[in-house]
Amino acid sequence: MKFFPKSADGFLSAMMMAENALLRDFSLSCPASLFGAESMESAKKAVKSCMTLSSFPCAQMLKTNTRYVHDFAKRTLTVTVNARYMSTGKEVNDLRCIAADIAESIKRGLPENTDFFQVIAAYQSWLKRFFVYKKTGATRDHAAVGLLQTRQGVC
């Protein structure tokens, strides 16, 4: 997906929207003047600040490759992001297997005619018993597979 922001706010909004939508590949092409005299360095700082915010989508960008191109002739700066959210088959399979194990352990403790609200209550109870809330706020603690494997993480 390609974004063409015309302002610094538009650039940041496009970055956050792409991350929240978990887009794997996207680019932002904008006037280089948005970032001042040191446009390349300023753009890198802006992108880095977006990717280090404490949010789940940002944390999932563990294997992100970002490329910056400053076209002096066109006076544009293009940032291309190739994000890899649980990109390997093993990571996706690990998540599915761990989630299935968790679901099975919750299901075993419920009567057969359990309604939706009882399932949610059982899930919340299970989380309180088996998960540890970490107060680090570090984005690495948001990784889905790690959260389920270690039973600890941030909200």
Side-chain angles (χ1 to χ4, degrees):
M1 175 166 277
K2 294 183 179 183
F3 297 92
F4 299 95
K6 302 291 184 216
S7 67
D9 285 343
F11 182 90
L12 293 174
S13 293
M15 267 300 287
M16 291 189 303
M17 183 171 45
E19 289 172 356
N20 288 329
L22 298 176
L23 295 180
R24 286 170 108 27
D25 301 295
F26 61 94
S27 67
L28 300 102
S29 189
C30 60
S33 60
L34 288 182
F35 296 99
E38 297 291 325
S39 58
M40 188 71 80
E41 289 307 310
S42 295
K44 287 178 181 180
K45 286 179 184 176
V47 170
K48 185 177 179 181
S49 70
C50 285
M51 289 184 179
T52 57
L53 297 174
S54 288
S55 73
F56 180 76
C58 296
Q60 295 304 303
M61 296 178 75
L62 298 175
K63 298 174 184 155
T64 298
N65 180 19
T66 308
R67 187 171 57 105
Y68 302 84
V69 177
H70 188 171
D71 186 331
F72 291 95
K74 294 181 182 177
R75 297 180 183 172
T76 60
L77 180 69
T78 301
V79 177
T80 303
V81 178
N82 304 110
R84 298 292 170 242
Y85 305 96
M86 297 182 300
S87 60
T88 68
K90 182 187 180 324
E91 289 172 312
V92 172
N93 189 55
D94 286 352
L95 182 62
R96 286 180 181 153
C97 290
I98 295 166
D101 286 347
I102 292 169
E104 188 59 36
S105 72
I106 293 171
K107 186 178 174 184
R108 275 194 300 266
L110 298 175
E112 198 169 308
N113 60 349
T114 303
D115 70 22
F116 177 75
F117 296 107
Q118 291 169 319
V119 171
I120 297 299
Y123 175 72
Q124 289 174 331
S125 175
W126 187 89
L127 286 174
K128 287 177 184 174
R129 280 195 325 262
F130 296 106
F131 274 77
V132 175
Y133 178 73
K134 292 174 79 173
K135 295 181 182 179
T136 65
T139 55
R140 71 178 175 278
D141 294 329
H142 283 277
V145 172
L147 174 71
L148 294 177
Q149 286 175 331
T150 65
R151 304 271 199 271
Q152 56 184 316
V154 296
C155 64

